[in-house]
Amino acid sequence: MSETNPATAEVAAPHRYTAAVAAEIEARWQDFWDADGTYAAPNPKGDLAGDPGLVAKPKKYIMDMFPYPSGAGLHVGHPLGYIATDVFARFQRMTGHNVLHTLGFDAFGLPAEQHAVQTGEHPRVTTEAAINNMKSQLRRLGLGHDKRRSFATIDPDYYKWTQWIFVQIFNSWYDDEAKQARPISELVARFESGERAVPGGRSWDALSAAERADVLGEYRLAYASDAPVNWCPGLGTVLANEEVTADGRSERGNFPVFKAKLRQWNMRITAYADRLLDDLNELDWPEAIKLQQRNWIGRSEGARVDFPIDGEAITVFTTRQDTLFGATYMVLAPEHPLVEKFTPAAWPEGTHDVWTGGHATPAEAVAAYRAQAASKSDVERQAEAKDKTGVFTGAFATNPVNGEQIPVFIADYVLMGYGTGAIMAVPAHDARDFAFARAFELPIRCVVEPSDDRGTDASTWDDAFVSYDAKIVNSHGEDVSLDGLGVTEAKARITEWLQDKGIGEGTVNFRLRDWLFSRQRYWGEPFPIVYDEDGIAHSLPESMLPLELPEVEDYSPRTFDPDDADTSPETPLSRNQDWVDVTLDLGDGRGPRPYRRETNTMPNWAGSCWYELRYLDPHNSEKLVDPEIEQYWMGPRAGQPHGGVDLYVGGAEHAVLHLLYARFWSKVLYDLGHISSPEPFHKLYNQGMIQAFVYRDSRGFPVPAAEIEERDGAFFHNGEQVKRELGKMGKSLKNAVTPEAICEEYGADTLRLYEMAMGPLDVSRPWDTRAVVGQYRLLQRLWRNVVDEATGEVTVTDAEPDETTLRALHKAIDGVRQDLEGLRFNTAIAKVTELNNHLTKAGAAVPRPVAESLVLLIAPLAPHIAEELWRKLGHTDSVVHQDFPVADPRYVVDETVTCVVQVKGKVKARLEVSPAISDDELEKVALADEKVVAALDGADIRKVIVRAPKLVNIVPA
Ligand code: ANZ
């Protein structure tokens, strides 16, 4: 279609769909939808109860990963997922569902706090300003959110319940027999009655309050402990492992991170390792994400084996107990508590020089090596490629299967936090042990028969032979032999033998660690915890929640010289004395007493661990969530045995932490009877990223993408040629495009269509502002098919649609329905475009039922123009709750074409086939035809020439 000069076009076509018309329509319908409550999803009860007719429908709960309200606002890359869920939600509304779709804000966090540190402005002020800015940006996109259900995690009404959940977790323990969390009071009752022995063997009555608190601390699902943590003096805070880079520095700020022991809150997520793993099977998540969760949880089946030493034992964890006869030395983590105990005063007679590291005594060698290891992160210590370092402790332990005395080393490739912190080393069959044995001239003994031609003399090998599917050799002792067994049988045999002897047992080990749950920050949820004069932690009663953040003078944690490991954290909250030291009556019968508040705050993840529940019942001040309402939206049902949100869309970067933490909290709340769904998100979908072109000048600096000129495939900025590459969109790369800019130029419906048309939703794609106009033209043609551009009158006719139009319409309906259901929005748009083009080409007034169906088809994608045209077509109720068109199957089946089949150049058969049939398919059909078979009469075929769909020519031999 030729472009007309816009100036003259306006005169000739005053009612054309233009950016100005779009702006007017969009603002008007957005106001209407808000005032009308068009997107309000009724609950079965409570203050959001409404329309029982709607509640009787099947529900769909469609959710986005909520945004952090950044001061920079949104660029066009951010709303990709929000538009997608909106299209899907609108489609579900039109196919008979009561749809819950809303969006809140994940608003605690570091950027606002850092801004506060720099400017003294309260983080709440900047955060709320950012929220308001984002809300207006999002409103302009026409997202059909139930705004009554929106909230921010910083709202005291919200974090009251985050704190309340913390209290529930604190006051529960994991009952390994029942495999579920239970109230800690039940455990106390069992200790009191003697039904369960108190660890340490004393009676519960005989313990002091502090001793009892210590015992319970070993069971609580939220507990404080002196834990080795990642202390970052440069940031003044402790970091989770995931926040530390592979080279042992802070992900944010790039400061050194040290191992230190600090009293910290932890969540016992490890108690749920098995359930977190097993329940993944029932979830409709991308396999890649499930795999990442499985790896993170890291379940290993193996054995614990005791190696006797000086009348005691060092216990190792191994997944290869079948290789016990090949263990020629042991390694303890440098921090292992038994190291001192077995380290002799002097090097034993004949100690190898390379084993001592040049130190005069074992104690000296150990101390020096420990200092060196402490400065490295776990990841660095485990790096495969690195040279293996370590030192002999001077001690020998006994290999229990053959009585051999084997030397005990410390080395940093063994981590204290995994297994037992001690290993038996089998250098012939483990790559790390092999490298270590070579470096320290230790014996290497083959016990798994190599499948290649290297032979069984391991002293001649270049690397370890690693196999789980081979025969065990060289493995017989006085009363046990594994020779000739496969790996699996050997594992079973030796485990049984160890168990019989009482020196080992089969065991399962997890890579997952407990979740470090405190931060030395201001802008987070305060802990609902106070300490009494004995230092015992008590949770606050519900009546004291929310515990609001106090005002403070200074928002910064105290930071230190980044390289000074001998420092410890000081929290911003601890500086408000009036808030910290309080007299309270906790309602526990002890009356008013002085307490000191916990001054750490919760980590960023806390607020996003349960927000899917708050959307359900957002104003409930009595309960976390009303059970009936939770059951309605989240409860288990056919195909969703663990319940959960029907569709959760967000970036793949949240594959592990957020999703794992949220799953954990759901399980605890489920165990304690507060909710009916043990999983928060039934179906998960990761949208791709919108990328953008970055233009760099000759010095490599990005120049503003908006100022680039393109000539013959080259790019210029102010006359200078620049280089183009693909990168992230954002301010720093000077290529951010705001949704407002696109809305202004074309309207929100065009922006929505463009983002959805760019490609499959889960694939990343480059933004191209110049291509947006394509979708604008689609909407202009759509408009023109319904509205006369000169008069503004509706042009549809009451004449019956012809057969080809009916076919085009019903094929579109059928395809668009399937595409929207399958989140294939790009192909849905292609089908709508095809139909629209068909109508444009037909050139005549569009029959009313066809026009109406077309408007309904595009309504989920471009809701404003659809609402406008729907009303223009004479309807008085909103397009939002109309039924989505259903295809008439008579018009969907393909018309057929006649295919001529020749044998030796003579026509032998005519077949009715689909015009879309492939050459292969057509050949098969032709060869199977009775008349063709008869004509061939068993002759061999030399050649078949196929020209689908019309001709097949068979040449017999
Ligand atoms: C002997 C052995 C022989 C091993 C062999 C492997 C191969 P996954 O599968 O990841 O659980 N290991 C145990 N604790 C360790 C620690 N704290 N630090 C470093 N390594 C540790 O790995 C289990 C294996 O990793 C264990 O099995 C142990 O080495 C090592 F041919 O024991 B194995």
Side-chain angles (χ1 to χ4, degrees):
M1 194 167 307
S2 68
E3 272 303 277
T4 36
N5 177 333
T8 47
E10 299 263 301
V11 183
H15 295 279
R16 171 166 297 182
Y17 181 80
T18 60
V21 170
E24 188 276 324
I25 292 175
E26 289 171 4
R28 181 154 43 80
W29 288 118
Q30 283 161 16
D31 289 344
F32 172 85
W33 291 330
D34 276 354
D36 179 58
T38 306
Y39 305 108
N43 274 352
K45 64 184 279 206
D47 72 331
L48 298 186
D51 196 343
L54 266 180
V55 178
K57 291 181 170 186
K59 63 91 190 186
K60 278 280 168 185
Y61 186 5
I62 299 162
M63 196 172 146
D64 298 283
M65 291 187 186
F66 62 169
Y68 173 79
S70 138
L74 302 172
H75 59 60
V76 290
H78 293 119
L80 180 69
Y82 308 150
I83 296 172
T85 51
D86 190 54
V87 173
F88 189 67
R90 286 173 181 278
F91 174 66
Q92 294 299 331
R93 264 186 216 104
M94 295 176 79
T95 50
H97 297 92
N98 182 20
V99 173
L100 199 173
H101 185 46
T102 187
L103 191 72
F105 295 90
D106 189 15
F108 278 123
L110 272 173
E113 178 160 333
Q114 275 169 336
H115 183 77
V117 169
Q118 283 155 18
T119 63
E121 193 171 14
H122 197 290
R124 177 170 293 283
V125 176
T126 41
T127 307
E128 281 177 354
I131 290 176
N132 287 332
N133 177 43
M134 260 197 189
K135 276 188 175 165
S136 69
Q137 284 190 299
L138 291 168
R139 185 176 189 272
R140 222 170 149 174
L141 301 176
L143 302 173
H145 291 156
D146 183 347
K147 292 182 185 164
R148 305 168 308 163
R149 296 175 183 268
S150 178
F151 56 82
T153 51
I154 55 172
D155 300 345
D157 275 0
Y158 180 78
Y159 72 67
K160 164 183 174 173
W161 295 103
T162 310
Q163 292 171 330
W164 181 88
I165 295 171
F166 180 87
V167 172
Q168 309 312 306
I169 298 175
F170 173 72
N171 284 321
S172 41
W173 62 295
Y174 199 79
D175 181 345
D176 277 323
E177 275 162 30
K179 299 206 184 310
Q180 67 163 104
R182 291 183 182 282
I184 195 90
S185 54
E186 287 184 16
L187 180 65
V188 173
R190 291 187 201 182
F191 284 147
E192 264 168 357
S193 69
E195 183 191 332
R196 193 177 171 121
V198 179
R202 292 165 67 196
S203 88
W204 190 248
D205 286 346
L207 301 185
S208 69
E211 286 168 331
R212 288 178 183 179
D214 282 347
V215 169
L216 295 181
E218 297 294 315
Y219 291 87
R220 291 184 189 275
L221 289 181
Y223 62 97
S225 72
D226 287 319
V229 293
N230 304 303
W231 163 230
C232 178
L235 289 174
T237 189
V238 163
L239 301 172
N241 286 341
E242 305 81 69
E243 294 165 331
V244 182
T245 63
D247 51 351
R249 301 177 76 88
S250 59
E251 188 139 69
R252 192 172 46 78
N254 195 30
F255 294 112
V257 174
F258 300 94
K259 287 266 176 247
K261 278 214 160 154
L262 280 177
R263 192 124 190 108
Q264 295 284 325
W265 283 95
N266 297 277
M267 292 249 169
R268 209 178 296 278
I269 189 172
T270 49
Y272 282 85
D274 263 325
R275 283 168 62 188
L276 288 168
L277 205 56
D278 292 346
D279 288 354
L280 277 175
N281 298 334
E282 305 289 351
L283 300 181
D284 183 1
W285 285 17
E287 269 314 310
I289 303 277
K290 287 192 185 182
L291 187 65
Q292 285 184 64
Q293 293 228 342
R294 288 194 184 106
N295 289 341
W296 190 265
I297 296 166
R299 184 180 195 275
S300 295
E301 269 180 45
R304 284 173 194 255
V305 185
D306 292 341
F307 282 64
I309 177 168
D310 296 351
E312 292 192 46
I314 297 173
T315 306
V316 304
F317 170 69
T318 176
T319 48
R320 294 301 302 269
Q321 58 272 37
D322 52 310
T323 63
L324 254 164
F325 284 93
T328 50
Y329 65 100
M330 296 181 77
V331 184
L332 305 190
E335 310 84 347
H336 198 290
L338 292 180
V339 172
E340 284 94 349
K341 194 159 186 184
F342 302 125
T343 302
W347 295 118
E349 193 78 26
T351 297
H352 212 304
D353 275 352
V354 287
W355 292 10
T356 66
H359 293 281
T361 63
E364 246 183 69
V366 165
Y369 190 75
R370 280 185 162 176
Q372 178 192 329
S375 66
K376 291 187 196 156
S377 73
D378 284 1
V379 182
E380 272 181 295
R381 286 171 53 163
Q382 288 253 293
E384 289 290 342
K386 155 179 128 10
D387 289 341
K388 295 286 171 279
T389 63
V391 74
F392 181 41
T393 61
F396 289 85
T398 309
N399 184 338
V401 288
N402 55 15
E404 258 174 34
Q405 291 294 295
I406 56 177
V408 180
F409 282 73
I410 56 172
D412 64 5
Y413 76 98
V414 174
L415 303 177
M416 195 55 227
Y418 189 67
T420 61
I423 67 160
M424 64 177 205
V426 184
H429 307 293
D430 180 276
R432 292 168 304 175
D433 297 345
F434 188 92
F436 190 90
R438 275 286 144 86
F440 289 85
E441 299 178 26
L442 287 154
I444 302 176
R445 184 182 307 145
C446 170
V447 293
V448 182
E449 191 173 61
S451 52
D452 48 25
D453 56 6
R454 59 173 75 198
T456 52
D457 178 4
S459 65
T460 63
W461 294 359
D462 296 328
D463 56 7
F465 173 71
V466 182
S467 170
Y468 305 92
D469 177 26
K471 226 167 50 183
I472 303 297
V473 293
N474 291 335
S475 296
H476 44 272
E478 260 173 32
D479 52 354
V480 61
S481 169
L482 305 178
D483 289 341
L485 297 180
V487 169
T488 314
E489 297 89 345
K491 277 188 183 179
R493 170 81 57 87
I494 196 73
T495 306
E496 206 184 303
W497 183 83
L498 291 165
Q499 259 154 351
D500 284 350
K501 294 245 161 190
I503 54 172
E505 59 180 353
T507 172
V508 174
N509 198 55
F510 291 93
R511 201 156 283 281
L512 184 68
R513 295 282 80 105
D514 278 347
W515 172 19
L516 177 73
F517 196 73
S518 37
R519 299 289 185 277
Q520 293 67 52
R521 319 287 331 182
Y522 176 75
W523 195 224
E525 299 86 348
F527 278 83
I529 289 287
V530 290
Y531 298 94
D532 65 19
E533 288 157 311
D534 297 326
I536 297 173
H538 300 263
S539 56
L540 295 178
E542 190 177 329
S543 61
M544 290 184 189
L545 303 181
L547 171 62
E548 296 203 33
L549 275 171
E551 297 301 321
V552 295
E553 298 266 297
D554 184 358
Y555 300 105
S556 33
R558 187 153 156 229
T559 56
F560 302 87
D561 174 352
D563 297 309
D564 187 355
D566 291 328
T567 46
S568 55
E570 185 184 296
T571 59
L573 294 188
S574 67
R575 285 182 230 134
N576 186 328
Q577 212 58 44
D578 294 345
W579 184 83
V580 173
D581 293 308
V582 282
T583 299
L584 301 171
D585 183 349
L586 298 181
D588 53 2
R590 307 198 319 158
R593 283 172 176 249
Y595 293 98
R596 188 180 154 75
R597 292 196 196 277
E598 170 63 60
T599 66
N600 282 301
T601 52
M602 297 188 197
N604 269 345
W605 308 106
S608 56
C609 272
W610 72 280
Y611 72 121
E612 76 284 356
L613 296 172
R614 188 64 179 173
Y615 287 146
L616 306 178
D617 195 9
H619 310 133
N620 198 334
S621 55
E622 305 293 315
K623 270 202 175 111
L624 179 74
V625 55
D626 182 280
E628 203 180 311
I629 296 172
E630 187 270 337
Q631 165 76 41
Y632 173 75
W633 289 110
M634 294 279 285
R637 57 203 68 209
Q640 305 185 5
H642 297 299
V645 170
D646 297 281
L647 176 67
Y648 189 38
V649 173
E653 69 275 15
H654 291 298
V656 179
L657 302 183
H658 155 60
L659 289 170
L660 202 61
Y661 297 153
R663 296 182 62 215
F664 164 52
W665 279 32
S666 284
K667 291 187 186 307
V668 179
L669 290 171
Y670 170 80
D671 286 356
L672 298 175
H674 300 297
I675 57 176
S676 69
S677 47
E679 286 287 341
F681 310 116
H682 175 70
K683 180 178 170 96
L684 176 74
Y685 191 94
N686 299 121
Q687 88 274 15
M689 282 240 298
I690 289 190
Q691 299 164 313
F693 289 117
V694 186
Y695 299 88
R696 293 184 189 274
D697 63 17
S698 53
R699 297 164 305 163
F701 291 119
V703 297
E707 297 166 14
I708 297 301
E709 267 180 81
E710 183 179 350
R711 271 179 260 142
D712 304 328
F715 304 95
F716 298 88
H717 181 248
N718 290 339
E720 187 203 340
Q721 186 163 357
V722 293
K723 268 201 198 133
R724 184 173 93 161
E725 65 193 36
L726 209 50
K728 274 180 98 162
M729 186 176 280
K731 268 198 176 146
S732 58
L733 295 176
K734 300 198 176 160
N735 60 359
V737 177
T738 65
E740 293 88 276
I742 302 299
C743 286
E744 228 130 81
E745 205 171 339
Y746 300 110
D749 281 336
T750 296
L751 173 63
R752 292 172 59 110
L753 279 177
Y754 175 64
E755 296 219 355
M756 293 300 99
M758 285 168 84
L761 185 58
D762 56 352
V763 172
S764 294
R765 64 295 289 286
W767 176 267
D768 182 2
T769 297
R770 291 170 309 178
V772 177
V773 72
Q775 299 304 324
Y776 181 58
R777 299 223 174 97
L778 164 65
L779 293 182
Q780 286 189 317
R781 288 195 295 272
L782 166 71
W783 182 267
R784 212 176 286 142
N785 277 329
V786 182
V787 177
D788 186 316
E789 290 187 338
T791 64
E793 295 298 313
V794 169
T795 56
V796 297
T797 137
D798 288 328
E800 286 293 313
D802 60 33
E803 171 94 8
T804 39
T805 298
L806 281 175
R807 286 196 179 277
L809 172 67
H810 286 279
K811 273 186 132 170
I813 293 174
D814 184 54
V816 171
R817 238 180 196 272
Q818 291 180 35
D819 286 348
L820 293 184
E821 188 66 53
L823 304 172
R824 294 183 299 272
F825 304 131
N826 56 329
T827 52
I829 292 170
K831 285 166 189 152
V832 173
T833 308
E834 205 178 308
L835 173 62
N836 195 49
N837 288 350
H838 170 85
L839 299 174
T840 303
K841 263 196 225 127
V846 177
R848 171 173 288 273
V850 179
E852 295 198 340
S853 296
L854 176 63
V855 166
L856 293 171
L857 285 183
I858 208 167
L861 293 151
H864 309 89
I865 193 173
E867 185 81 286
E868 181 71 10
L869 292 176
W870 186 248
R871 307 291 180 135
K872 278 193 187 297
L873 285 163
H875 298 280
T876 51
D877 47 356
S878 169
V879 76
V880 172
H881 291 285
Q882 299 305 316
D883 287 338
F884 202 77
V886 180
D888 181 337
R890 281 177 303 161
Y891 297 110
V892 177
V893 286
D894 281 326
E895 290 167 283
T896 56
V897 289
T898 308
C899 172
V900 172
V901 187
Q902 301 177 334
V903 176
K904 276 200 246 168
K906 289 200 188 98
V907 176
K908 293 289 174 194
R910 287 175 205 279
L911 309 171
E912 289 302 307
V913 297
S914 156
I917 195 164
S918 69
D919 281 356
D920 284 353
E921 183 64 18
L922 187 56
E923 178 174 334
K924 264 188 230 146
V925 175
L927 290 174
D929 185 82
E930 266 177 37
K931 289 187 199 134
V932 174
V933 172
L936 283 170
D937 194 22
D940 282 343
I941 294 165
R942 188 154 65 88
K943 198 156 82 175
V944 182
I945 301 155
V946 187
R947 298 276 177 273
K950 296 230 161 118
L951 178 77
V952 179
N953 192 357
I954 303 167
V955 186

